[in-house]
Amino acid sequence: MSTDLLSTAVTLRRCKLLRVAVDGSVAEYIFDQHRVTLGSNDDNDLVIDDDQVSADHARIFQDGDDFLVEDLGSTNGTYVNNVRIRVAYLKSGCSIRLGSTQLRFSILSQRVEIMPSQRQSLGPIVGKSERMRRLFGVIEKIAPTAVTVVLEGETGTGKEVVARTVHQYSSRANKTFIVFDCGAVQQNLIESELFGHEKGSFTGALAGRQGLFEMAHGGTIFLDEIGELALDLQPKLLRALEQREIRRVGGNRPIKIDVRIIAATNRKLEDEVAAGRFREDLFYRLSVVRLTLPPLRERREDVPLLVRHILKTGSFNRLADGQRVKGVATDALEGLMRYEWPGNVRELANVVERACSFADGEFVQLEDLPDRIAGVRVSQRKGAKQATEPLRAPATPVHADRTFKLAKESWLATFEREYLDTLLTKHSGNLSQAAREADVDRKHFRRLARKYDLVAGPEKSETDD
């Protein structure tokens, strides 16, 4: 299932098995997960008490919209419609025989209408725009299932907050929720971090160690920036998804895991697949449900609600008897709603915290906001005697011969380049100081500066701190 939150319905596909006993009684099993193990061992999803069934006999798994069954090297074989198979596609109504046990397979396709929720928050997520209320509806539908979820969206749109909310509203809510940033750990350490290692498996491995998948057993693991995962590690993640088991580095023993995976990326994974940087099979295995989170500039009506939420919940604004800053003046709120928010909700939270530190009274005023948002350059913050200088638009022509979208993009690109270039010149190329004055995350500031060739690439040195 994939949705950009503008669609009005989604389709959920599940596997149903009917088991007919010797006495004619029928047992029904419905599975939401995308891999179902069958065998006589107690750790299988469907435990079959049959002397002719192997401990780990077979598995049923989903590939896109199709279901397949695979024999796992059983002694007596797996049969589909009385034909022995190794791997076979399954159609609704077909029979599966393991030993003397007969199963009837069918696919349950449920079209679920997603109506905008009437609520303005879901867990820690806040919003009253239609796109956010549709997001609430989707989360309420998918959270109780075991489906894998991919969250897409720009930096700062709240992907981790959404992942935590999915976990919070699932049956795993009382279990562990673990966050792992694939872009923040050295690639040669990621395998050990995720899957653990055995003693002596590499230099410095003085003892065996559990990986995050083992630690998250029964719960949820959130893989942030999944697009940063190296190609040689992707098959190992795919194996963990398909077989629900992992092997520690240096180990031979498979370890069964029960973990729900939620992944996030600010890249377009389809483009990464086309460029050969991301495996197509892993992309489809992850993308059971894909949610695209809207940037803040596309849901400006949520800004007042978000500001109130940040003021209410932020530790920076707490007093023993309530909030230090109660709200935001009208002209300041208008400035917040006009701004484009390249850093999205994360940037908004930083701006609100900064404004509270400047505010003298119970309300944030326009002059308490950063200049890029207030629309003026204030020569002195408090009690300024000097005149303020309006920020002027870049002297770039308006291309009336283009579409509105292309003309706007051209104008904004010119503004971004001039703004970044001015700050970097002012701070002699020091990225950290320029980012601090812009009140933008340093990594985001550097990406923008590189976009306009204002700083050296990774292979060159650049002024930093």
Side-chain angles (χ1 to χ4, degrees), residues 371 375-379 386-392:
D371 298 345
V376 293
R377 293 189 180 98
V378 183
S379 57
Q386 302 174 19
T388 60
E389 175 191 354
L391 278 175
R392 292 179 173 83

Side-chain angles (χ1 to χ4, degrees), residues 444-455:
H444 180 65
F445 189 99
R446 179 163 56 179
R447 279 196 294 269
L448 285 174
R450 283 179 179 165
K451 173 182 175 182
Y452 296 109
D453 294 322
L454 297 176
V455 297

Side-chain angles (χ1 to χ4, degrees), residues 233-251:
L233 293 173
Q234 292 176 23
K236 296 172 183 178
L237 177 58
L238 178 63
R239 189 183 310 120
L241 277 165
E242 288 187 334
Q243 300 179 6
R244 298 290 169 179
E245 65 182 30
I246 55 97
R247 282 184 172 85
R248 293 181 180 180
V249 176

Side-chain angles (χ1 to χ4, degrees), residues 321-340:
D321 57 349
Q323 298 174 206
R324 187 179 72 81
V325 175
K326 308 295 185 186
V328 180
T330 301
D331 56 352
L333 189 59
E334 289 173 352
L336 292 171
M337 293 184 70
R338 284 194 304 266
Y339 184 59
E340 287 292 313

Side-chain angles (χ1 to χ4, degrees), residues 394-397 408-419 452:
T396 183
K408 179 181 177 183
E409 288 175 350
S410 175
W411 189 92
L412 286 174
T414 302
F415 165 78
E416 285 184 349
R417 192 186 192 288
E418 290 188 12
Y419 180 84
Y452 296 109

